[in-house]
Amino acid sequence: MRRTIVFLLFGFLFLGLKAPETITVVIDAGHGGKDPGHLSHSKSHKSEKEITLLISNYLGGYIEKYLKNVTVVYTREDDTFLSLDERVELANSRNADYFISIHCNGNPEKTVHGTESHVHDFTAKKSYNFAKDIEQQFADRAGRNSRGVKNNDDRAHSIQVLKFTKMTSVLVECGFLTNSNEANYLNTKHGQEILASAIFRAFRGAVERDFPEVNIKEIEVKEDDEEKEYTIQLMSSKTWIDTESAEFKKLNMEVTRVELNTTKAYKYIYYAGTFTTLTEAKEVLVKVKNKGYRDAMVVPKKD
Ligand SMILES: [Zn+2]
């Protein structure tokens, strides 16, 4: 038995193979530090380097939370500057299986909008299929205008982080900051989370396809869960209650009131908070119940 283990370990070392039970993904938030990347028309908007960091962190968070046997490595986790060489070097030295670079686009023509996923060339099938899946997710599930998968020829230039990384590599352009609608979307937490969850689903599919022997399923995610929002239904009342009143102040949460179009006695329902995951909503529900709202429950949020 022991001999087998030793043999396997040496086998992996000699053959340069990694233990098949682990997958490493490098998530690269584009730009950073002295390099802000593209800028929006609006001064109140974030720059590309800030948005790419947020989307990268959401994406990494989903992978860490929902997939087992996958290690996430970030090229940067704050506003630091890294050269393109350093990003490539990090991915290659970690012997990563996937490299995902997150960017936002820009164009002098302000009407240009949509997402793009870039690969070095179309012959790298794993990269191409992954990029195609990301664009599919953007179009079908995130409702974005997909401009498709682009390669070296489409761009007429190489992208350093795609050309020199040795693993499955995709550079994702999440939208144009020079288009006002898209800049608005990219600046919302909602938009950033939707884009990250679209990339997450494509990534999960790519790993399942490329590494069928690795079990990455830790938690079953229902297909719609990631885009759904939840709230806590606190109580109902026969009469109108001010949401700023002492009744709700103790919660220290934003409370909203919905008037029902009904002839029943209970005309008003009160909700507290917005949550992007069921787990988070359930955690807060415990606290809400402890503050006296015994009938409180988690419900899907309606817009
Ligand atoms: Zn960029």
Side-chain angles (χ1 to χ4, degrees), residues 15 19 22 34-35 54-55 63 66 69 84 86 116 139 150 152 154 160 207 211 224 235 252 261 296:
L15 296 171
T22 56
K34 66 184 181 187
D35 169 19
L54 288 163
I55 295 173
I63 294 171
Y66 294 118
N69 299 327
L84 298 176
E86 286 171 314
E116 293 174 355
K150 310 279 180 193
N152 242 359
D154 299 320
Q160 197 171 337
V207 176
F211 296 92
D224 285 335
M235 55 178 270
N252 205 13
N261 184 15

Side-chain angles (χ1 to χ4, degrees), residues 31 38 48 103-104 173:
H31 310 276
H38 287 294
E48 182 184 353
H103 286 255
C104 301
E173 294 281 6

Side-chain angles (χ1 to χ4, degrees), residues 40 44-46 51 177 182-189 192:
S40 160
S44 65
H45 278 168
K46 294 180 170 67
I51 296 170
L177 283 171
E182 219 151 56
N184 287 336
Y185 182 81
L186 286 162
N187 271 273
T188 62
K189 182 171 183 276
Q192 293 149 11

